[in-house]
Amino acid sequence: MDKYNQLYQSLFDQEDIFSNIEVIQTMAIDFFPNILHRCIHERYVTKKIEGQVNDLIDYYTTHSSETRFWKNPELFKCLVDFSLQKDTSSQKNLLNLIGMQLGIEHEPVATTKHLATRFFYYQKCYFFHENKFELNETNHFLVHKMDNTQILTVCLPLKNAFTGFISEDIYPTIFSTKGTVDEMKLLIENSLSILQKYSPGLYNDLFETISYVFLTPDFGDSIRFSYNLRTQYFGAIFINPFQTNEVAFAESLIHELIHQRIWMQWAYNMPDLHEYEQIRIESPVTNRLKSLPVMTQAYIIYNVLYDFNLFLVSENIVSGARKKKTDTAIQHLQKNIPFLYSRLTDAAIDAPELSNLIGRVHALTNTFCYEK
């Protein structure tokens, strides 16, 4: 059994922070009615629209097994926006947008610019405001899992697609077009092939959890070339392909997959994590300040990436200059993961849930040959 599966299986058995993929799916499916029920219970919605909310819950519950519902990041965006919105008129607009996501409404609704106005519908992406277009053969493609049971929808950089939603520094509005569908498809297929060889479990998890991979414009960051938007846009990850090769792209897929799984689990099991967001830790790996919850996840990710890099060398996946770069990455992780563990244990002294997780991960990975 590969170390990814060993780590996950051991943590699955704890039944708290990680779980098997069926439970992650159940959480993603239940996210919809749970948020709307909470809004009713906490009186976020008026009696005037409560009936519409209940109708959406009933419709969703009846059809929730359809993957086009829960594997839809735009639906999560609308839900999170709705839970934060107190204005009745804005709530009604968002309910209409949710209806579009579910296939109930088919026409765009009037909406203000600060609201989420995008929606995916049967593999097509429409944008309202100034922009409206469909995904087509020039700006997206599908990647099929080896057994053809799942697909990833991969979108090339889209101009103005995320304006007002994602900051300019990581998804520029204006950019020069780079890369063709064929070039990007080859990059991703090669990356997925490496992941499948490394860990069939991780490969399966990727297709089960992630539905959209958005290739970003080149935002020029040679250290950070991927990110996700937590449960606000669950099932979608963002990767800059212009700062990567197939190995670095595979690492980004691992990185963001683990983040997405943990954020969904924490949405249910650790609802009060926001108090720890103010605790900042400098990563000894990237030298960047991040919150305690994020760096707790990073500790798990770095352990998996350490093992992944060992695999690249042992299986001769990399050679020449790439092997030298991989050897350097192994040494860097080997040296700095223990430093991160020390910083995390100090920072999490008053965060028992995180402290417990950090300790278990450390115990599960202590067979790695870290520098003492």
Side-chain angles (χ1 to χ4, degrees), residues 263-323:
W263 286 127
M264 178 54 71
Q265 189 81 18
W266 280 359
Y268 284 80
N269 294 343
M270 293 193 185
D272 298 323
L273 279 175
H274 63 274
E275 66 180 283
Y276 305 130
E277 290 283 352
Q278 306 306 314
I279 303 174
R280 313 294 284 182
I281 297 174
E282 181 180 349
S283 167
V285 176
T286 65
N287 298 318
R288 295 188 175 187
L289 283 173
K290 298 290 183 180
S291 70
L292 175 58
V294 170
M295 289 312 301
T296 300
Q297 295 184 17
Y299 181 57
I300 298 168
I301 292 166
Y302 293 155
N303 275 288
V304 176
L305 291 181
Y306 176 76
D307 186 58
F308 176 68
N309 278 277
L310 291 177
F311 158 81
L312 294 175
V313 173
S314 66
E315 297 297 317
N316 298 313
I317 304 293
V318 291
S319 60
R322 287 191 182 179
K323 183 179 181 301

Side-chain angles (χ1 to χ4, degrees), residues 85-335:
Q85 185 59 251
K86 300 299 190 296
D87 176 69
T88 300
S89 176
S90 298
Q91 285 182 337
K92 289 180 68 175
N93 282 332
L94 282 165
L95 288 176
N96 287 335
L97 287 168
I98 291 170
M100 289 182 196
Q101 301 290 348
L102 301 180
I104 300 172
E105 304 287 345
H106 300 284
E107 297 297 327
V109 295
T111 182
T112 55
K113 288 193 175 184
H114 69 280
L115 296 177
T117 57
R118 297 175 302 277
F119 70 92
F120 284 87
Y121 185 64
Y122 295 104
Q123 298 294 338
K124 295 181 179 179
C125 178
Y126 301 81
F127 290 76
F128 298 102
H129 300 158
E130 297 85 356
N131 307 294
K132 177 180 179 180
F133 62 88
E134 291 187 15
L135 294 182
N136 56 51
E137 66 276 4
T138 66
N139 62 21
H140 92 292
F141 56 90
L142 305 180
V143 177
H144 293 263
K145 191 179 174 186
M146 288 183 68
D147 61 7
N148 287 318
T149 58
Q150 301 280 352
I151 61 170
L152 285 175
T153 300
V154 182
C155 298
L156 271 64
L158 305 170
K159 291 190 176 180
N160 300 313
F162 296 99
T163 304
F165 181 35
I166 300 177
S167 63
E168 285 276 331
D169 61 329
I170 55 175
Y171 202 109
T173 301
I174 301 173
F175 56 88
S176 57
T177 301
K178 296 181 182 179
T180 65
V181 166
D182 288 343
E183 290 170 342
M184 296 297 103
K185 192 168 186 178
L186 181 62
L187 171 68
I188 292 175
E189 287 177 344
N190 288 343
S191 299
L192 290 172
S193 177
I194 293 172
L195 290 187
Q196 199 278 333
K197 291 175 183 175
Y198 166 61
S199 169
L202 186 152
Y203 177 83
N204 290 333
D205 282 358
L206 180 71
F207 277 90
E208 292 286 357
T209 306
I210 305 302
S211 50
Y212 285 86
V213 177
F214 288 97
L215 305 180
T216 72
D218 187 0
F219 51 89
D221 191 329
S222 61
I223 297 177
R224 180 194 188 190
F225 27 77
S226 68
Y227 56 92
N228 71 96
L229 303 175
R230 305 189 181 188
T231 54
Q232 186 181 22
Y233 213 59
F234 182 74
I237 60 178
F238 297 78
I239 302 177
N240 179 357
F242 308 109
Q243 295 284 336
T244 65
N245 52 44
E246 63 266 25
V247 170
F249 199 96
E251 289 191 352
S252 294
L253 290 172
I254 294 171
H255 192 126
E256 303 309 332
L257 166 66
I258 295 174
H259 272 312
Q260 282 279 274
R261 292 199 65 184
I262 302 176
W263 286 127
M264 178 54 71
Q265 189 81 18
W266 280 359
Y268 284 80
N269 294 343
M270 293 193 185
D272 298 323
L273 279 175
H274 63 274
E275 66 180 283
Y276 305 130
E277 290 283 352
Q278 306 306 314
I279 303 174
R280 313 294 284 182
I281 297 174
E282 181 180 349
S283 167
V285 176
T286 65
N287 298 318
R288 295 188 175 187
L289 283 173
K290 298 290 183 180
S291 70
L292 175 58
V294 170
M295 289 312 301
T296 300
Q297 295 184 17
Y299 181 57
I300 298 168
I301 292 166
Y302 293 155
N303 275 288
V304 176
L305 291 181
Y306 176 76
D307 186 58
F308 176 68
N309 278 277
L310 291 177
F311 158 81
L312 294 175
V313 173
S314 66
E315 297 297 317
N316 298 313
I317 304 293
V318 291
S319 60
R322 287 191 182 179
K323 183 179 181 301
K324 288 183 179 179
K325 190 172 183 179
T326 303
D327 287 337
T328 300
I330 291 171
Q331 293 169 9
H332 188 57
L333 289 167
Q334 187 179 54
K335 177 181 178 180

Side-chain angles (χ1 to χ4, degrees), residues 3 6-8 10-11 14 359-368:
K3 286 204 177 77
Q6 287 178 347
L7 176 63
Y8 265 50
S10 297
L11 291 172
Q14 300 296 324
R360 289 208 320 278
V361 175
H362 177 69
L364 290 167
T365 58
N366 64 9
T367 57
F368 292 171

